[in-house]
Amino acid sequence: MDFISILSIFVLACFVGYFVVWGVTPALHTPLMAVTNAISSVIIVGALIAAAAAGVPGAKWLGLLAVVLASVNIFGGFAVTARMLAMYKKKERR
Amino acid sequence: MHEGAAVPAWALISYLVSGVCFILALRGLSSPESAQRGNRFGIAGMLLAVLTTLVVHVPYLSDQEPTTVAARWRDVDWTVAAEILAAIAVGAAIGLVTARRIAMTAMPQLVAAFHSLVGLAAVLVGAAAFLNPEAFGIVQQFPPGTGWTVYAPVNLAVPINPVSRVEMGLGVAIGAITFSGSVIAFLKLNGNMSGKPILLPGRHAINLVTLAAILGLIAWFTQDQDPLIFWTIAGLSFLIGFLLIVPIGGADMPVVVSMLNSYSGWAAAAMGFTLHNTAMIVTGALVGSSGAILSYIMCRAMNRSFVSVIAGGFGGDAVAAGGGAAIDRPWKRGSAEDAAFLMSQAEQVIIVPGYGMAVAQAQHALREMGDILKKEGVSVKYAIHPVAGRMPGHMNVLLAEANVPYDEVFELEDINSEFARTDVAFVIGANDVTNPAAKTDKSSPIYGMPVLDVEKAKTVLFVKRSMGGVGYAGVDNELFYRDNTMMLLADAKKMVEEIVKALG
């Protein structure tokens, strides 16, 4: 992929993000932060590539460390979001 | 030749699908009913991205990628594979235990801590890409017969594509700022560091020079791939992240946390540019705009400009306007019994929670109080100011934790007109967001900030620890001295528990 196609994806994704996030109800802003935090750990993709690559040991260990950090975030972020969302309940109709 | 950039088409598609899953994850948060499904989309997207990467980048024993299926299985470097899986398992264990144990009141600290991890991970990935550009497919391409293999065989460093160098430099810089900024935000939110702004002399000049130096070094980095330049960029970025957050006071933390949220997204996007990875770019753009919008909402709710928040210093200096002398003005003190009587006689009670409720962990007692009142036929509602608490939506989560149904909880613009028709406004742990001076007193530092019109209720019950303290903005609250205000001076949780006793 060349730089321009990547840039196009990025710019369009910014617009998608803009409209989607304005649609998030303010009551869920804390779960929003938790879940965005979890998904931004998709950076683990880069960490996995570095960890799997042979040749440069330093890069491999940096990659492994990044895998640990990103995993903490992924598992912790999604779990804490799920925990929060499970608490939001509607009024019981009696 | 083993070429890192040659990602198969199916993998490109699956990264795209994972990006779409992340969009759906945020989309789900538009209502509490669809939010849990959204979270599952997020998990699915992440699983897909990780599995795709694991399959595409299997560690092999030989440099050459095996061609036959049998050879693929035979040549897998299981040691490296086990190391990777172990790294994921360690992270998963830490993450899951933390997520389970954390108190809901500590959510702002947790989010700040998580941001710092994303930032640091971005720096590490950037550094790994710098050390091993071949693995990331960012080696500079030259026409055959020219380039570094011909002209610079003594130069040990593999030249990195200049565009990738900029992306890498930016990714590392933003990641480092996110890391050190989030660490400071964590320390402030967690109480390890005073919430008061720390002001260095000449800090604006220092920050601007540092920022200019980072950008200059990134420009230089495209010309000269010296490790020293790379590490200086990282080092200066760690420094400026620290410098930027240290002068920002506790009350501005909602903006800071959202801003760091945004940065963690931009860092991921920059790394996505380096790796040409759609999932990372889409996610980075989503998270980046999400944090930016939240910062904007928070700034608007405080009537402050983003620049003035970033410049820092708010909420520390004792503001002269009506400060010390005002304490002598007459005010009324009430007891738990008075409050219980007033509320049980009311037709409608609106509860206004703030950070103080979180600190006192009063949300469960508060819900109990609401339940008793509802049984007696009183209509109970909750009014939330956008900046109540230490992060966007903080109060909503705490009320949800205490089993308050979310359709009893209202945002400022939806409930403000109701105070005039309300018998009792019960303010607990909020202060500045109820100050009528924001509407009338032009000299007040919070003038122009949208506030909850609690003073329009027939009676205001204001739970506060003592009369001495001021809110985070450092201003005295007009509300205390009004005829229809009754001060309930005690720890928020104790006071609510006493009211519950008096009601029962």
Side-chain angles (χ1 to χ4, degrees):
Chain A
M1 268 194 292
D2 61 302
F3 180 73
I4 296 298
S5 11
I6 295 174
L7 188 67
S8 316
I9 296 173
F10 176 70
V11 172
L12 293 176
C14 284
F15 277 92
V16 172
Y18 179 86
F19 290 109
V20 169
V21 172
W22 273 116
V24 173
T25 169
L28 293 177
H29 277 164
T30 298
L32 171 68
M33 299 199 86
V35 83
T36 49
N37 190 38
I39 65 172
S40 62
S41 303
V42 71
I43 200 149
I44 196 173
V45 167
L48 289 170
I49 295 175
V56 186
K60 194 191 112 178
W61 289 110
L62 290 177
L64 276 177
L65 185 56
V67 170
V68 175
L69 297 180
S71 309
V72 171
N73 238 340
I74 292 170
F75 286 89
F78 282 125
V80 90
T81 310
R83 201 181 131 197
M84 276 192 274
L85 292 176
M87 298 186 314
Y88 283 82
K89 287 188 194 80
K90 234 187 165 142
K91 208 182 293 186
E92 290 162 40
R93 304 269 167 235
R94 266 168 261 172
Chain B
M1 162 102 193
H2 184 76
E3 185 56 72
V7 181
W10 68 266
L12 295 177
I13 302 280
S14 89
Y15 284 132
L16 181 63
V17 172
S18 115
V20 171
C21 284
F22 294 147
I23 295 174
L24 293 173
L26 298 199
R27 180 68 204 152
L29 291 172
S30 56
S31 92
E33 282 112 43
S34 58
Q36 283 178 300
R37 194 180 58 222
N39 198 37
R40 285 194 284 273
F41 267 117
I43 296 171
M46 188 59 74
L47 196 64
L48 186 60
V50 169
L51 288 179
T52 306
T53 315
L54 286 175
V55 171
V56 174
H57 296 269
V58 176
Y60 289 114
L61 289 165
S62 65
D63 275 353
Q64 220 78 348
E65 202 176 312
T67 42
T68 63
V69 177
R72 276 175 185 274
W73 280 104
R74 193 191 58 221
D75 286 359
V76 170
D77 189 340
W78 291 107
T79 322
V80 177
E83 279 168 357
I84 292 172
L85 295 178
I88 295 177
V90 169
I94 300 172
L96 290 175
V97 169
T98 316
R100 189 150 308 162
R101 293 222 178 126
I102 194 85
M104 281 299 142
T105 40
M107 204 47 71
Q109 294 90 300
L110 180 74
V111 167
F114 278 167
H115 286 159
S116 75
L117 297 184
V118 180
L120 192 56
V123 174
L124 294 176
V125 173
F130 176 72
L131 294 174
N132 192 0
E134 281 167 310
F136 287 81
I138 51 173
V139 177
Q140 193 167 7
Q141 302 295 320
F142 292 100
T146 64
W148 64 285
T149 43
V150 176
Y151 295 117
V154 281
N155 187 355
L156 289 171
V158 181
I160 299 168
N161 187 4
V163 178
S164 302
R165 289 189 212 173
V166 176
E167 295 157 357
M168 236 162 76
L170 283 175
V172 167
I174 302 170
I177 293 173
T178 312
F179 172 71
S180 54
S182 299
V183 168
I184 302 295
F186 171 83
L187 293 176
K188 287 195 173 197
L189 288 165
N190 205 31
N192 305 93
M193 200 172 149
S194 159
K196 286 208 170 109
I198 299 163
L199 303 174
L200 298 169
R203 63 206 154 87
H204 295 313
I206 298 174
N207 289 350
L208 286 176
V209 169
T210 317
L211 208 57
I214 292 169
L215 291 176
L217 283 169
I218 291 174
W220 188 10
F221 188 51
T222 60
Q223 301 305 314
D224 183 359
Q225 194 187 313
D226 192 324
L228 188 65
I229 301 176
F230 180 85
W231 295 113
T232 315
I233 294 173
L236 283 179
S237 306
F238 280 125
L239 180 70
I240 196 162
F242 171 80
L243 291 174
L244 277 174
I245 309 302
V246 156
I248 303 182
D252 284 341
M253 275 304 142
V255 183
V256 170
V257 175
S258 334
M259 187 184 82
L260 292 167
N261 184 233
S262 180
Y263 288 176
S264 69
W266 302 132
M271 282 302 146
F273 270 92
T274 315
L275 299 178
H276 297 192
N277 184 296
T278 324
M280 280 166 89
I281 293 168
V282 171
T283 315
L286 288 177
V287 179
S289 29
S290 160
I293 289 171
L294 289 177
S295 317
Y296 169 78
I297 294 174
M298 295 299 115
C299 286
R300 191 181 57 180
M302 295 194 289
N303 192 37
R304 314 246 337 260
S305 74
F306 188 65
V307 176
S308 86
V309 172
I310 297 308
F314 194 71
D317 21 342
V319 178
I327 303 296
D328 300 332
R329 289 162 63 184
W331 49 276
K332 273 188 289 196
R333 179 169 186 164
S335 68
E337 286 74 27
D338 299 335
F341 177 75
L342 276 167
M343 285 195 282
S344 61
Q345 298 300 310
E347 232 163 76
Q348 173 156 292
V349 173
I350 297 182
I351 298 171
V352 181
Y355 184 57
M357 180 193 78
V359 174
Q361 300 263 20
Q363 65 270 32
H364 299 280
L366 197 62
R367 198 254 313 147
E368 213 180 313
M369 184 184 96
D371 282 352
I372 297 176
L373 288 173
K374 273 192 280 180
K375 260 192 212 128
E376 296 191 10
V378 183
S379 149
V380 179
K381 288 178 179 170
Y382 296 80
I384 312 253
H385 191 278
V387 291
R390 282 291 177 273
M391 75 186 290
H394 192 182
M395 292 298 123
N396 303 76
V397 172
L398 294 182
L399 291 176
E401 187 201 9
N403 273 327
V404 173
Y406 61 81
D407 35 11
E408 286 176 11
V409 183
F410 296 88
E411 302 301 315
L412 174 114
E413 59 264 37
D414 298 329
I415 202 165
N416 233 359
S417 58
E418 277 204 37
F419 282 104
R421 285 181 275 123
T422 297
D423 303 291
V424 179
F426 188 81
V427 183
I428 174 163
N431 191 347
D432 296 331
V433 298
T434 63
N435 194 343
K439 291 178 281 190
T440 51
D441 181 5
K442 285 199 173 135
S443 66
S444 172
I446 58 169
Y447 179 73
M449 167 171 150
V451 287
L452 289 157
D453 296 332
V454 288
E455 81 282 358
K456 290 195 180 144
K458 280 203 196 88
T459 311
V460 179
L461 297 174
F462 202 109
V463 183
K464 199 170 182 299
R465 201 180 293 258
S466 70
M467 280 308 276
V470 288
Y472 261 90
V475 286
D476 199 23
N477 195 339
E478 261 319 284
L479 196 61
F480 304 160
Y481 315 105
R482 291 180 71 99
D483 290 337
N484 61 340
T485 305
M486 191 187 270
M487 301 300 295
L488 305 171
L489 299 186
D491 171 77
K493 191 176 174 188
K494 267 201 204 107
M495 176 53 77
V496 176
E497 282 168 352
E498 276 170 40
I499 294 174
V500 168
K501 234 182 268 160
L503 280 169

